Amino acid sequence: MLDVYLFIGVLVICFICMYTIPLCCGWSPKRSWIKDKKHFCIKFWTQFFTAILLAFVICIIALTAYVVPSGSSLFFVPTGADDEASRYDTNRFTFTELYLPTSDEDTVLHGWYIPNLPGSQVLLYCHGSGANLAATYRLDRYEILLSMGYSIVTFDYPGYGKSTGEPTEDNVFESGEVFLDWIVDNLGLSVSDVVVLGRSMGGSVASKLVLRNPKALILQSAFAKLSDATSLSYPLFWWYIDLIFPVQLDRAEADVGAYSRPTFVYHSPDDGTVPIWSGRKLYDSVDTPDSEKTFSEVDNVLHDDPMTGTEIDDLRIFTLTHVILDLLK
């Protein structure tokens, strides 16, 4: 809503300037009205629409000055390892730390392999745009997934947690590829044996990975296009943000369009960050038969709230039906 407040504020200032400056210079609306009503109306409405246009241009300039220098920080909001230091030593589960190289020799990615029972289903977890892999609410989610029988590989994007470098669209998407390759190379699995989960922005990373045809896809509070999310943060000028940032994050809907394996999509109608209709677009775009995909909708849940009992139950049923039983075949 920042752009709405900005536009209203600038518009008020423009109106004040356009109608008070002439008054200060001796212009009298009453005399002008009596003298020439037609000319008065033309002048009034000309000033009115000029004020709106001027406010619009000033807002575009202000947003450009704010958004362009912000660059990737507008989308990526990492925290370093020091911010979650105690949680990196969590004893809530056992894990192996991973440090993997990327195509950029200055960037090393950090991740965790959290094993479950031998032979359990492996899940690649692509987290959202904030914090890092050791955030408390993510530890809670790992425990829920472990209780469903998953072994988990989770990771931080460049600049997040213990991963070095700075996050960009290219290397954020590369991060998912790097850890999926690690699973294939080190756990004796093929991509078609792996379940991929993406939450929020991580849904775009996961959606990119379905081009490699993983076993199943889980999307939680994800967006079909970044502009769907910015439409809530910038309801007046979302189109401009989208215009100056032509992003890969806009491709999730297209990426899942050719995917035809089991898919689970969760969203809440009360999500104030990503609208539910964007999650519904992802669900509708997946080329999976209705019998093999699930849309879980839970009311009164905000974007970063913990998983609810309903979502957990829905995901557990999906996992049992489309993942575990297939694993036992």
Side-chain angles (χ1 to χ4, degrees):
M1 295 294 287
L2 173 65
D3 61 337
V4 175
Y5 299 135
L6 175 65
F7 182 74
I8 292 174
V10 172
L11 186 60
V12 169
I13 293 172
C14 288
F15 279 143
I16 291 174
C17 291
M18 287 202 167
Y19 290 107
T20 58
I21 291 177
L23 288 173
C24 294
C25 295
W27 176 69
S28 170
K30 184 176 181 180
R31 287 199 305 268
S32 297
W33 173 260
I34 294 172
K35 184 177 179 180
D36 188 344
K37 294 182 177 62
K38 182 178 179 181
H39 180 265
F40 177 87
C41 290
I42 291 174
K43 183 173 182 178
F44 176 86
W45 288 111
T46 299
Q47 288 180 321
F48 180 84
F49 287 113
T50 300
I52 293 176
L53 179 61
L54 183 60
F56 179 83
V57 171
I58 291 173
C59 286
I60 289 292
I61 294 172
L63 283 173
T64 302
Y66 167 69
V67 170
V68 173
S70 299
S72 62
S73 65
L74 191 67
F75 314 121
F76 308 123
V77 192
T79 58
D82 292 342
D83 298 308
E84 308 283 354
S86 62
R87 299 184 184 99
Y88 276 94
D89 296 324
T90 180
N91 58 6
R92 294 167 65 171
F93 42 75
T94 60
F95 60 89
T96 300
E97 292 200 87
L98 307 173
Y99 290 93
L100 306 183
T102 68
S103 59
D104 178 4
E105 61 182 17
D106 295 324
T107 299
V108 176
L109 301 175
H110 173 252
W112 286 349
Y113 170 45
I114 311 172
N116 209 319
L117 296 174
S120 58
Q121 175 63 55
V122 175
L123 177 144
L124 178 63
Y125 189 104
C126 307
H127 69 63
S129 62
N132 57 50
L133 62 78
T136 299
Y137 62 93
R138 291 196 176 117
L139 301 183
D140 296 339
R141 289 173 178 270
Y142 302 155
E143 285 191 322
I144 291 169
L145 292 168
L146 288 168
S147 74
M148 294 182 188
Y150 289 106
S151 291
I152 304 166
V153 175
T154 184
F155 61 94
D156 271 329
Y157 310 114
Y160 286 70
K162 296 181 181 180
S163 293
T164 61
E166 293 293 329
T168 66
E169 272 198 287
D170 288 340
N171 63 28
V172 163
F173 280 95
E174 182 188 8
S175 301
E177 300 281 358
V178 167
F179 279 87
L180 183 56
D181 288 340
W182 181 88
I183 292 172
V184 172
D185 295 340
N186 292 272
L187 299 183
L189 302 173
S190 65
V191 173
S192 61
D193 296 323
V194 181
V195 174
V196 176
L197 182 153
R199 186 176 186 281
S200 191
M201 183 206 72
S204 294
V205 179
S207 296
K208 187 80 170 180
L209 294 176
V210 302
L211 299 177
R212 297 177 61 179
N213 204 34
K215 182 175 186 176
L217 174 65
I218 300 171
L219 298 174
Q220 298 174 317
S221 306
F223 49 77
K225 294 184 178 181
L226 180 65
S227 52
D228 295 345
T230 56
S231 68
L232 294 182
S233 301
Y234 300 90
L236 286 182
F237 292 95
W238 63 267
W239 55 270
Y240 180 64
I241 304 296
D242 192 42
L243 181 65
I244 61 177
F245 282 108
V247 292
Q248 296 182 60
L249 292 170
D250 268 347
R251 289 200 48 82
E253 182 179 7
D255 288 338
V256 300
Y259 187 64
S260 58
R261 305 191 74 178
T263 301
F264 178 92
V265 179
Y266 161 80
H267 224 107
S268 170
D270 300 296
D271 189 323
T273 302
V274 180
I276 189 171
W277 50 261
S278 188
R280 177 65 71 174
K281 281 200 298 184
L282 284 171
Y283 176 82
D284 291 338
S285 296
V286 176
D287 193 32
T288 302
D290 289 344
S291 61
E292 294 186 2
K293 61 181 181 178
T294 300
F295 190 87
S296 177
E297 179 179 333
V298 184
D299 294 335
N300 302 315
V301 182
L302 301 180
H303 187 72
D304 289 322
D305 281 353
M307 292 177 69
T308 65
T310 300
E311 181 190 356
I312 293 171
D313 289 343
D314 289 346
L315 182 55
R316 196 181 300 277
I317 293 170
F318 173 85
T319 297
L320 177 63
T321 306
H322 300 293
V323 178
I324 302 300
L325 290 181
D326 183 70
L327 194 66
L328 296 176
K329 289 180 181 179

